[in-house]
Amino acid sequence: LLILATCSIVPAHAQLWCPPVSEWSANLFGLALDGCETASYVGDTLYESRTAQYITVTDIVMNYLFPPQDTVHWNLYTSVQDSIVFQWTDTEGWDTLYWFNAVPGDRWYPPGMPISESELCNAVQVTDTSHVDINGYSLLTLICAFRDQSGAITSYAFNITERVGTGSMHFPAGACVVDEGAWGPHTYMDTAFPLLDNGTGSGCDHFSGIS
């Protein structure tokens, strides 16, 4: 009985990626851009010779230089192998999105980032790891940063958490890249997580419905 009681208070280990009804939302922001994105896990499918998670994505974007707002629908495919979440890209095939068993010092290039050992500023660098308990689950979190052009770790840090990912399945632009637009996590939910909300509000609240 003592063993059973002890086990009952140990936080459960979270499913690594895409539990049923997973949904992410993020905000899009930039110099003249504003908007929001919603990504929803539909289910598993066979895609490019792998069991993949089929995710539908909707972007609502307002470019204030070229209105009106635009709505774009697209599909995303991920696949999990050995604690690595891969994302399908048309240029690189299955490319590393999240590396959940990485340790401090490990690095990888996110999908779409130019790959070059002389351009370390495009690589995600793991600086530390931790766990956070949410809804009775212990979630592994990677504390990450980009390097600058000299190879030094930049001061800007971001987290990658089991289930949640980066909160938007996009990475901040690497230190090598000057990008007009960026994504910021907003909410995450699945069957065990009714809602994780960072409290920022949707980036589309103030213009959705404007023709």
Side-chain angles (χ1 to χ4, degrees):
L1 288 176
L2 179 61
I3 293 173
L4 290 175
T6 302
C7 291
S8 67
I9 62 174
V10 175
H13 181 69
Q15 182 173 332
L16 180 70
W17 182 244
C18 273
V21 200
S22 294
E23 184 175 280
W24 303 258
S25 73
N27 291 329
L28 173 65
F29 52 90
L31 296 177
L33 300 174
D34 214 352
C36 57
E37 178 177 278
T38 301
S40 302
Y41 169 49
V42 178
D44 284 359
T45 186
L46 184 64
Y47 190 79
E48 297 295 338
S49 304
R50 291 191 184 185
T51 299
Q53 296 77 48
Y54 169 44
I55 299 169
T56 61
V57 185
T58 299
D59 292 334
I60 303 175
V61 180
M62 174 72 84
N63 186 325
Y64 293 102
L65 298 179
F66 304 100
Q69 71 188 46
D70 193 16
T71 300
V72 179
H73 302 280
W74 53 287
N75 298 325
L76 176 69
Y77 296 91
T78 64
S79 182
V80 182
Q81 292 188 4
D82 298 326
S83 298
I84 300 175
V85 179
F86 295 91
Q87 178 181 323
W88 176 262
T89 67
D90 291 335
T91 55
E92 302 295 333
W94 289 109
D95 205 357
T96 302
L97 179 64
Y98 304 132
W99 181 8
F100 282 114
N101 59 358
V103 297
D106 285 339
R107 65 178 185 267
W108 74 94
Y109 292 86
M113 287 288 188
I115 297 175
S116 170
E117 283 301 304
S118 63
E119 301 264 353
L120 290 178
C121 44
N122 283 329
V124 173
Q125 174 85 45
V126 178
T127 60
D128 202 357
T129 62
S130 66
H131 283 80
V132 58
D133 292 335
I134 304 176
N135 292 354
Y137 289 91
S138 180
L139 302 180
L140 170 67
T141 296
L142 306 177
I143 294 91
C144 300
F146 287 103
R147 293 170 177 259
D148 63 20
Q149 195 72 281
S150 69
I153 299 296
T154 62
S155 59
Y156 178 77
F158 58 95
N159 294 342
I160 303 173
T161 303
E162 287 179 311
R163 298 168 94 118
V164 181
T166 54
S168 62
M169 281 175 285
H170 300 280
F171 284 87
C176 290
V177 180
V178 177
D179 196 349
E180 183 181 0
W183 280 263
H186 177 216
T187 64
Y188 171 78
M189 63 174 291
D190 60 44
T191 52
F193 289 75
L195 185 66
L196 296 178
D197 190 340
N198 66 5
T200 59
S202 171
C204 290
D205 283 347
H206 58 287
F207 67 76
S208 291
I210 300 174
S211 62

